[in-house]
Amino acid sequence: MARRPKIKITYIDRLGKCPCHRGHRPGDSWDFDKDRGEICSMVMHVAFPYIDILRYGGEIPQPGQKKGTAIFCCPDVETINVFKIERIDEEKED
């Protein structure tokens, strides 16, 4: 049975006027399997469908984005944090 690819989540930008209420800062990064309890639950609510699609072989058709990635925003209108999800295939790690 093939291993599931790793998923990396990175906070890449803030579009809103307020900093993240959970304390996340641009540049923060998490391994979905190891660190998911450290990520804001609102972010995870939005991220999970993208993670599920990427992890199980699908792609997110976002113009200008690299295959195996997805960009999305936190639903908090005061912060509007921007996150990037990347599928990390084992062969790319070597």
Side-chain angles (χ1 to χ4, degrees), residues 28-93:
D28 288 350
S29 189
W30 303 269
D31 176 306
F32 173 71
D33 292 311
K34 295 177 183 175
D35 305 322
R36 74 177 86 171
E38 298 173 18
I39 306 171
C40 174
S41 58
M42 289 196 316
V43 171
M44 289 306 300
H45 180 78
V46 177
F48 190 75
Y50 295 115
I51 291 167
D52 210 30
I53 290 166
L54 291 173
R55 177 163 267 181
Y56 295 103
E59 294 295 338
I60 312 297
Q62 292 178 317
Q65 293 303 314
K66 185 170 97 171
K67 198 173 181 186
T69 65
I71 305 291
F72 69 96
C73 289
C74 165
D76 186 334
V77 297
E78 291 181 336
T79 64
I80 314 174
N81 297 318
V82 182
F83 292 84
K84 179 179 181 180
I85 299 172
E86 300 172 84
R87 177 179 55 224
I88 309 296
D89 298 313
E90 285 187 35
E91 59 269 9
K92 289 181 183 176
E93 286 186 39

